[in-house]
Amino acid sequence: MSTDRAAHVVEPRYARTWLLVNAARPELFDAAARSRTDQVVLDVEDAVDPSRKDAARQDVVAWLRAGGRAFVRINDVTTPHWRDDVEQLRGTPNLLGVVLAKTEAGEQVTDTFEALGGQTPVVALVESALGIEEARSIACARGAFRLAFGSGDYRRDTGASADDLAMAYPRSRLVVASRIGGLPGPVDGPTVGGGLPELRENSSVAVSLGMMGKLCLDSDQAPVINEVMSPTATDATWAQDVVEGFEASGGVVRDGSDLPRLGRARRILELAEAFGIQPL
């Protein structure tokens, strides 16, 4: 197999695009790894019929052992499939982390983390009203790496619509919880249908609320998500000028806006470096 990618490699903590790939279709794995998505998530949960989960797990483990690198979305802890998932994935080389489906408590994150050997990062996928209300404990749990929003299941659970106003509360809860837990910004749910203009708009709204990534179901969505969720070269240039100007002045604070501006500039430069974006 070959997973060579010419694109800049983005670390999981900064990853913008998280491509869900049906684990029952191993013929898709290599193409996903070569795509422009920041992270591949092989899905052994909702994408796979219960009768095919054993075979799908075996294909995932075989691909990882052959050199593939990916996250794996595993089944939630209330199902018998969760134990099979963690037992077969524990110690598997090139496993970057797991995405824990339907997370509703911090203990579920920690139990998963420990069951995998205490070193594998856990992205907690929050998909219900209870999960949203428990977001803080989930974000602060040992083993939590990032939070992600299962927007479709959340809407099904609550009856909420997909419009921006209805989704603002759960998204903001995840953003605030991530900050309290010391985690990177959360990963938004996927945009299904509507085409690239709707994807661009949804991604922009997510960024405006403080989210830093987005699940996607099609690798063709990656360029749009990556663009919207990255600082521009112009942003990086502004940030560089701010930092250099502050240092040139001897680091003297002149007014109350200096430190917030400096903090924002440094954050932009951090993201620009993570994404391989050069100032003009």
Side-chain angles (χ1 to χ4, degrees):
M1 62 159 290
S2 173
T3 58
D4 290 343
R5 297 172 62 180
H8 181 83
V9 176
V10 177
E11 295 180 22
R13 61 177 171 158
Y14 296 113
R16 301 154 297 185
T17 41
W18 297 72
L19 176 63
L20 290 164
V21 180
N22 188 335
R25 299 190 61 190
E27 71 275 10
L28 301 178
F29 295 177
D30 283 354
R34 291 191 298 266
S35 72
R36 295 182 181 276
T37 56
D38 291 338
Q39 295 297 327
V40 172
V41 182
L42 305 180
D43 185 4
V44 297
E45 195 231 357
D46 277 354
V48 180
D49 184 82
S51 66
R52 302 183 66 188
K53 287 188 186 291
D54 286 341
R57 282 191 212 95
Q58 292 172 11
D59 286 336
V60 166
V61 170
W63 187 77
L64 292 172
R65 289 188 178 278
R69 293 169 59 82
F71 280 72
V72 177
R73 177 161 80 162
I74 64 174
N75 293 272
D76 73 88
V77 299
T78 66
T79 71
H81 307 298
W82 174 84
R83 177 58 61 183
D84 294 333
D85 290 341
V86 296
E87 287 181 352
Q88 293 195 35
L89 289 172
R90 178 171 177 160
T92 299
N94 301 313
L95 175 66
L96 300 179
V98 298
V99 177
L100 178 62
K102 299 176 177 62
T103 307
E104 294 187 327
E107 293 83 357
Q108 296 174 344
V109 173
T110 301
D111 288 348
T112 300
F113 181 68
E114 293 177 347
L116 287 166
Q119 295 182 330
T120 303
V122 178
V123 176
L125 184 60
V126 180
E127 308 183 66
S128 66
L130 177 58
I132 290 296
E133 290 305 290
E134 292 294 325
R136 177 174 178 172
S137 69
I138 293 170
C140 293
R142 192 166 72 89
F145 179 66
R146 288 181 75 168
L147 303 184
F149 184 27
S151 51
D153 279 333
Y154 172 82
R155 293 196 301 270
R156 180 173 61 186
D157 185 41
T158 63
S161 74
D163 66 56
D164 294 341
L165 180 61
M167 291 294 101
Y169 174 74
R171 283 169 163 166
S172 295
R173 288 278 300 189
L174 295 178
V175 169
V176 173
S178 295
R179 181 68 187 93
I180 293 171
L183 308 182
V187 179
D188 194 23
T191 295
V192 180
L196 296 183
E198 182 174 337
L199 174 67
R200 181 177 294 277
E201 181 180 352
N202 289 349
S203 300
S204 296
V205 170
V207 169
S208 73
L209 292 171
M211 305 192 97
M212 285 180 54
K214 191 169 179 64
L215 296 170
C216 59
L217 306 177
D218 189 332
S219 61
D220 289 343
Q221 294 183 329
V224 172
I225 296 172
N226 289 346
E227 178 189 348
V228 174
M229 293 194 158
S230 302
T232 65
T234 302
D235 293 332
T237 301
W238 171 86
Q240 186 177 65
D241 290 345
V242 168
V243 172
E244 290 178 351
F246 184 76
E247 292 173 350
S249 70
V252 177
V253 176
R254 298 162 299 179
D255 58 51
S257 66
D258 273 357
L259 293 182
R261 185 186 302 111
L262 185 63
R264 180 168 179 265
R266 285 174 172 163
R267 178 59 173 165
I268 289 173
L269 290 178
E270 178 186 358
L271 294 176
E273 181 179 2
F275 303 144
I277 297 168
Q278 298 296 322
L280 296 174

